[in-house]
Amino acid sequence: MLVKTYGAAVQGINAIIVTVETAVERGIHYCIVGLPDTAVKESHERVRAALKHSGFTTPRQSIVINMAPADVKKEGAAYDLPIAVAILVGSEVIKVPDLDSYLIMGELSLDGSVLPIRGALPMAIEARAAGFRRMIVPKANATEAAVVNRLEVYGVENLREVMELLTGTSSLKPVMVNTREEFAAAGSSFDYDFSEVKGQENVKRAFEVACAGGHNILLIGPPGSGKSMMAKRLPSIMPALSLGEALETTKIHSVAGKLKRGSRLMTVRPFRAPHHTISPVALVGGGSNPMPGEISLAHNGILFLDEFPEFPRSVLEVLRQPLEDRHISVSRARYTVDYPAGFMLVASMNPCPCGYYNHPTKQCTCAPGQVAKYAGRISGPLLDRIDIQCEILPVPFDKLSTLSEGERSESIRARVTAAREIQARRFASERDIHCNAQMNSRLMAQWCELDEAAMSILRHAMNKYDMSARAYDRILKVARTIADLAGSEKILPPHISEAVGYRTLDRSNWGTQVTL
């Protein structure tokens, strides 16, 4: 008897429908075809043991399983469940009249338990798009998949429960999640708040500008000046995720297996902080079984690279293309996948190997030329892609012990959100452009026009510090954001002056205050 069950395969962060065609006939042969990997081929033993311990008998017949489309590689153990169902229906142990209305995915334990899988959310999205009315997934993935409306999602714990559901003898109800209500009610509480940071008003301002325009930022300062501490508080002033952004972010983390059990939508922007020993593949994604890397896990959020110059040059250079294009294409001999990579880069570094160049109280012990050599570990093209370069110095003890509580993140976030709303209206007719940092040359010519006074300041700075054309663009974009924060339609001279001040490493005397 020929039976068809349906599952899904993840490609990038999306899914495609996989048809599990199972022919149960006379003979003693067992075969799986359709480009299965080792885990799929090993399903025979898992399914056999799971059927036995669930009270079913494995048919002593020829079983041929074809997984279509045959040119798409099938990976992982999540096909155990649709294979087991197909074998039981094909051998006429159970009868399921509406089997073609179900998309079924789950890994089987030897005792018949259904184990969690990766990518349940993109599978559910594809199931609804393909016209399936019901979906069976492990109970641990049920709330994640139930985020998709107009699709009945059933969370099951074991194989026996699946058979009762398919034959109509189960009282199991579909998992219900009101996505919009839950998203609207999601709290905006954070573990860290900028009110806990004393002093450093210039750095807080730089962070506010960066978040308001989606600009990449680099902090330069000695150890203990608060670089990492303040970076951890950035999510508290970022604009709230939209529903579309939340769905896309959750899809990526679902494919990577990073969602906790029982997770629904991610409502807080991700903050990823990989160690400087990370490999290029772990950063951009890929591998023998393609997985999203850190830059994709930081999509719609923040990628924080502490000790920036300590990262291998090969790792840092792979950031250049995704910083410009906001997506990464991973091409290997056997596959090519695209992952989104629309992250905000936040990096920090010491000013020199000893860490105390330009420190107000400690003497730098580096030899002549070491400071420039240390900063030179970051290539010019990569540095040009960082809009804001901000110097940070330690707060003296006498001020640290007397300063009152700083401005709360909630207040800063309100200004950031207001600036983002201005940009949303500005770029409403543009595709894939949502903030000032994403402006192209055409939009900059339209929205970053300078009067003679502002142009004079910018011309003087460009000539004095020999800045590149890309640095010129970055200054204009940052100035546009500063103007938005001030509620100004035009970019005024003070906005340009502040934007030029955020190009610290473009100056030969970057340790001193810029004067124009």
Side-chain angles (χ1 to χ4, degrees), residues 337-377:
V337 293
D338 288 321
Y339 293 121
F343 58 91
M344 177 177 146
L345 175 64
V346 180
S348 68
M349 59 178 283
N350 293 332
C352 64
C354 80
Y356 296 108
Y357 173 73
N358 202 41
H359 194 283
T361 59
K362 295 184 179 181
Q363 184 68 33
C364 175
T365 60
C366 296
Q370 276 191 296
V371 175
K373 184 178 180 181
Y374 189 73
R377 293 187 184 182

Side-chain angles (χ1 to χ4, degrees), residues 98-338:
D98 54 351
L99 186 59
D100 58 354
S101 68
Y102 287 90
L103 188 138
I104 306 170
M105 289 295 283
E107 178 183 347
L108 286 174
S109 178
L110 297 184
D111 64 356
S113 301
V114 182
L115 305 179
I117 60 173
R118 289 198 302 250
L121 178 56
M123 290 177 186
I125 293 173
E126 182 61 24
R128 184 183 66 179
F132 291 93
R133 300 197 314 269
R134 306 178 183 94
M135 183 176 182
I136 298 176
V137 293
K139 189 173 183 180
N141 300 109
T143 52
E144 174 191 340
V147 165
V148 180
N149 297 324
R150 302 189 301 278
L151 180 70
E152 294 180 10
V153 177
Y154 296 88
V156 294
E157 294 182 322
N158 53 65
L159 184 57
R160 170 62 67 175
E161 203 171 48
V162 175
M163 300 311 163
E164 292 174 353
L165 175 63
L166 292 173
T167 56
T169 59
S170 172
S171 59
L172 189 66
K173 301 296 182 183
V175 177
M176 301 300 295
V177 175
N178 191 317
T179 306
R180 296 189 179 276
E181 281 188 10
E182 292 212 357
F183 184 76
S188 57
S189 60
F190 298 91
D191 295 333
Y192 304 104
D193 195 279
F194 268 100
S195 62
E196 302 158 353
V197 180
K198 295 187 176 182
Q200 305 291 11
E201 298 304 322
N202 63 320
V203 184
K204 292 179 186 177
R205 170 64 176 177
F207 275 149
E208 180 180 338
V209 173
C211 292
H215 303 288
N216 303 317
I217 182 171
L218 171 64
L219 300 178
I220 310 132
S225 55
K227 303 185 295 294
S228 300
M229 177 193 68
M230 285 193 283
K232 290 178 181 178
R233 285 158 174 76
L234 266 178
S236 67
I237 66 172
M238 292 281 285
L241 284 169
S242 66
L243 182 56
E245 288 176 329
L247 277 168
E248 189 176 31
T249 305
T250 307
K251 279 173 63 177
I252 297 169
H253 285 252
S254 173
V255 170
K258 301 295 184 181
L259 292 181
K260 296 179 181 179
R261 292 191 176 186
S263 296
R264 299 180 182 180
L265 272 182
M266 294 179 63
T267 57
V268 177
R269 293 185 181 272
F271 181 88
R272 306 293 300 182
H275 193 260
H276 60 74
T277 57
I278 190 172
S279 68
V281 172
L283 187 67
V284 304
S288 56
N289 295 327
M291 296 290 290
E294 288 292 334
I295 62 174
S296 295
L297 293 172
H299 182 62
N300 291 323
I302 295 167
L303 178 67
F304 177 50
L305 301 183
D306 199 9
E307 304 296 344
F308 201 37
E310 301 300 328
F311 283 79
R313 186 72 170 246
S314 60
V315 172
L316 293 181
E317 291 306 301
V318 300
L319 289 171
R320 287 162 57 175
Q321 184 255 334
L323 282 174
E324 287 288 331
D325 300 337
R326 302 181 64 80
H327 72 88
I328 182 73
S329 296
V330 180
S331 298
R332 299 291 184 266
R334 294 186 301 161
Y335 63 82
T336 298
V337 293
D338 288 321

